[in-house]
Amino acid sequence: MPLDQYSQNAPLPENQGDVWQRKSGGGCASFFGLPFLLVGIGVIVLTFIPPEVRNGDPIPLFFGIPFGMIFAAVGGAIFLGRSNLRIDRSTGLVEKQWSLLSKPVYSKRSELKDFDRISLRSEIRRSDKSTYTVYPVRLMGLDTEKFDISESRKEFDGRKDAEDLARFLSLPIHDETSGSIRIRAADTLDQSIKQKFESGELTNEIPEPPAVMKSRIEYDGAILHLEIPPPGFVPGLLVGILVIAVIEAIFIGIFATFFFSGQNGDGPPIFFVGLFALLFLGIPTLAAVLLLGNAFMAKQTVVASSASLQVTRGWPLKKTVNIPSDEIEELFITAKPQGASNRAANAFGAKLEITAVSDAKQTSFGAGLASEELEYLLALAKGILIS
């Protein structure tokens, strides 16, 4: 994948002959930490100023010092922190260094000969307030500690990092983002599935069609048309609706308690009623409608030919993605969450679908279908695309 497609949040690696280098920190990004640093310092200073001098309430030491130090530490790390990842093929070393401005504070170094693959996977991160998925890229070996290269929240950015590093080090990628390991050799990363089929690396045996199929198939000898029904009910849908209902119930209770508990029985102004209804009732209700619409009304249409793969999906607004067949590098079944088998993915409502990937685009289809039907559709689509 070309380097100019890197995320703006991840600086471009600097490749100079045998050196692959990535620097982060500094520049405009460092100023995001300045407000946190100033707030932290300010709280600490105010804690030691007598209340009568600043005409305010006293700030307890057990609160002001820890609170200020946390903000100052986070802000200082962002404002002053720098990191440098350097891979040198001539010396056979990979090193990551963290520093405050130009003063190193920690470094990690390993020998390249200890690594035999590049790992790309999806992992769930949890904090007190949120849960999100990241796509770490690591150097891995049999008897050595893993070496972290990058960690993006976008799967596409993680793939770009892994592919660029694989080309530089001539190491295979062990891609686990689909729920199973797909091994991709460094010299085949830019080959389309059509080229891989012609070279014999890729085969395509079409299985017998399942006894029961939800999708509708039309094939005229050159173009394959698939019409896939909406995914329907999954346990995750019920969870989403229940969460929205609880949120609305809480805000209705708060609204009723705040505005209607007065002794005179006067109601709130109509403006506030309308604003409340829009923010706390209208928007969650719209979210619930979109969830239900995508579950029960969002049909998927797929058109595959030797020229391209076109996928149309979404509700109420439809989105179409068209990828030329000679640019599709991978076509596979994705099972998520990470590590879930196809059967487990179906049982718990996780996403199980066919994914097509090129250097520039990625699209998926078939969500809601059983794994046997997906395997059959995958073989059909692949057979058309490589013809």
Side-chain angles (χ1 to χ4, degrees):
M1 293 184 178
L3 295 181
D4 59 2
Q5 294 182 14
Y6 268 79
S7 165
Q8 293 181 356
N9 296 325
L12 291 176
E14 301 170 8
N15 298 328
Q16 298 177 353
D18 286 331
V19 176
W20 190 95
Q21 186 167 262
R22 169 173 290 178
K23 299 178 180 180
S24 61
C28 296
S30 65
F31 287 98
F32 285 105
L34 185 58
F36 293 92
L37 177 62
L38 295 178
V39 168
I41 294 175
V43 170
I44 294 174
V45 171
L46 288 175
T47 302
F48 290 97
I49 297 178
E52 59 272 13
V53 174
R54 53 183 172 81
N55 294 322
D57 295 329
I59 301 177
L61 289 176
F62 65 82
F63 171 80
I65 300 302
F67 183 85
M69 290 182 64
I70 291 174
F71 267 74
V74 172
I78 298 174
F79 184 64
L80 304 175
R82 307 288 187 270
S83 69
N84 182 28
L85 172 66
R86 179 184 174 90
I87 302 175
D88 192 333
R89 290 183 301 199
S90 62
T91 60
L93 296 176
V94 53
E95 181 178 14
K96 183 179 285 188
Q97 185 179 84
W98 291 268
S99 60
L100 294 177
L101 295 180
S102 59
K103 183 176 179 58
V105 294
Y106 176 75
S107 64
K108 179 180 179 180
R109 176 183 294 182
S110 296
E111 296 187 24
L112 290 175
K113 64 180 179 63
D114 293 333
F115 304 108
D116 58 10
R117 64 190 183 276
I118 295 165
S119 170
L120 172 64
R121 55 183 296 150
S122 61
E123 297 178 357
I124 296 176
R125 298 281 187 268
R126 292 183 174 88
S127 64
D128 294 338
K129 297 182 179 180
S130 64
T131 299
Y132 55 94
T133 302
V134 296
Y135 298 90
V137 176
R138 302 183 177 105
L139 287 172
M140 304 283 286
L142 292 177
D143 301 315
T144 188
E145 183 183 358
K146 64 187 179 183
F147 199 102
D148 294 328
I149 300 297
S150 66
E151 187 173 281
S152 173
R153 291 198 185 189
K154 296 181 179 179
E155 181 178 355
F156 219 61
D157 292 340
R159 286 176 55 87
K160 292 173 187 175
D161 279 354
E163 290 187 7
D164 186 62
L165 189 61
R167 294 188 191 95
F168 182 74
L169 295 177
S170 298
L171 291 177
I173 297 174
H174 286 221
D175 189 336
E176 300 179 57
T177 57
S178 65
S180 59
I181 298 179
R182 304 191 320 278
I183 300 177
R184 305 174 61 202
D187 57 355
T188 65
L189 294 177
D190 293 321
Q191 291 183 357
S192 68
I193 58 172
K194 185 180 295 188
Q195 292 172 318
K196 293 174 183 177
F197 182 79
E198 292 172 349
S199 66
E201 181 186 347
L202 178 68
T203 60
N204 187 47
E205 295 182 5
I206 300 179
E208 292 293 324
V212 178
M213 293 186 60
K214 293 183 178 180
S215 53
R216 196 170 107 190
I217 302 174
E218 294 182 6
Y219 178 57
D220 62 5
I223 299 177
L224 175 69
H225 290 263
L226 303 177
E227 187 174 293
I228 301 170
F233 175 80
V234 293
L237 175 64
L238 179 59
V239 172
I241 297 298
L242 288 177
V243 169
I244 292 173
V246 169
I247 291 174
E248 289 194 339
I250 291 173
F251 279 107
I252 289 174
I254 293 173
F255 177 82
T257 302
F258 180 77
F259 285 105
F260 298 109
S261 59
Q263 298 295 327
N264 55 10
D266 292 336
I270 190 64
F271 170 77
F272 292 105
V273 174
L275 183 61
F276 174 86
L278 174 64
L279 293 179
F280 302 120
L281 296 179
I283 294 178
T285 300
L286 177 61
V289 170
L290 292 175
L291 283 175
L292 292 170
N294 276 292
F296 297 104
M297 300 182 67
K299 292 192 299 184
Q300 304 170 56
T301 303
V302 181
V303 180
S305 68
S306 59
S308 67
L309 174 69
Q310 178 178 290
V311 178
T312 302
R313 56 190 298 180
W315 182 90
L317 301 177
K318 295 185 179 295
K319 180 181 179 182
T320 299
V321 177
N322 192 4
I323 308 178
S325 59
D326 58 2
E327 295 180 9
I328 298 176
E329 297 175 355
E330 289 191 279
L331 191 67
F332 56 92
I333 294 177
T334 303
K336 295 182 179 180
Q338 168 63 31
S341 66
N342 288 358
R343 180 175 298 179
N346 277 333
F348 293 100
K351 182 182 293 185
L352 181 66
E353 56 189 357
I354 298 171
T355 297
V357 180
S358 74
D359 278 344
K361 298 177 183 178
Q362 179 170 320
T363 188
S364 300
F365 61 92
L369 300 179
S371 58
E372 294 81 6
E373 185 169 352
L374 283 176
E375 290 168 1
Y376 179 66
L377 297 182
L378 172 65
L380 291 181
K382 192 182 296 182
I384 296 297
L385 293 171
I386 63 180
S387 61

